[in-house]
Amino acid sequence: MTLKECKKEEKADREFQKKFKFEGTINVLTQMMVDPAVTEKRGGGKNLPLRRGEILDVIQFTNQEQILCRNSQRRYGYVPRAAMLHL
């Protein structure tokens, strides 16, 4: 990983912590897959776009309905629990 990529990731992580009022280090708890049967959604605001079969990093189990996740492009957002499957 180049220095430029490292700085870009650090900036994205700081923006995430500010936007979601997340304190502490960002740790991946587990990985989950978006249900292949779910309808794809664009996302927006604090919601992450959903793509069928995509593997997401789980950052925090926020409540019974949503999970805070990160996708492969290092974008963060909430995903409905009903749309997720354990690997």
Side-chain angles (χ1 to χ4, degrees):
M1 192 180 307
T2 64
L3 181 62
K4 187 175 182 179
E5 290 172 338
C6 285
K7 288 187 178 190
K8 187 176 180 181
E9 286 184 6
E10 287 175 10
K11 182 180 178 185
D13 289 348
R14 282 193 308 273
E15 289 174 0
F16 155 74
Q17 289 176 324
K18 184 177 178 182
K19 183 175 182 178
F20 290 92
K21 296 181 176 96
F22 189 86
E23 298 194 6
T25 59
I26 300 169
N27 295 323
V28 175
L29 302 176
T30 186
Q31 289 187 325
M32 296 178 83
M33 182 175 75
V34 177
D35 189 349
V38 76
T39 55
E40 294 190 1
K41 296 182 182 176
R42 295 184 79 182
K46 290 187 175 184
N47 295 325
L48 199 59
L50 293 181
R51 284 188 228 125
R52 294 180 187 143
E54 183 177 25
I55 305 295
L56 301 175
D57 295 331
V58 175
I59 305 300
Q60 184 180 43
F61 293 98
T62 53
N63 58 34
Q64 294 289 61
E65 297 164 4
Q66 293 183 326
I67 303 171
L68 186 56
C69 295
R70 175 176 67 194
N71 65 12
S72 58
Q73 289 86 36
R74 291 194 69 84
R75 295 184 65 204
Y76 295 89
Y78 292 111
V79 177
R81 270 190 191 222
M84 302 298 286
L85 299 173
H86 289 280
L87 291 178

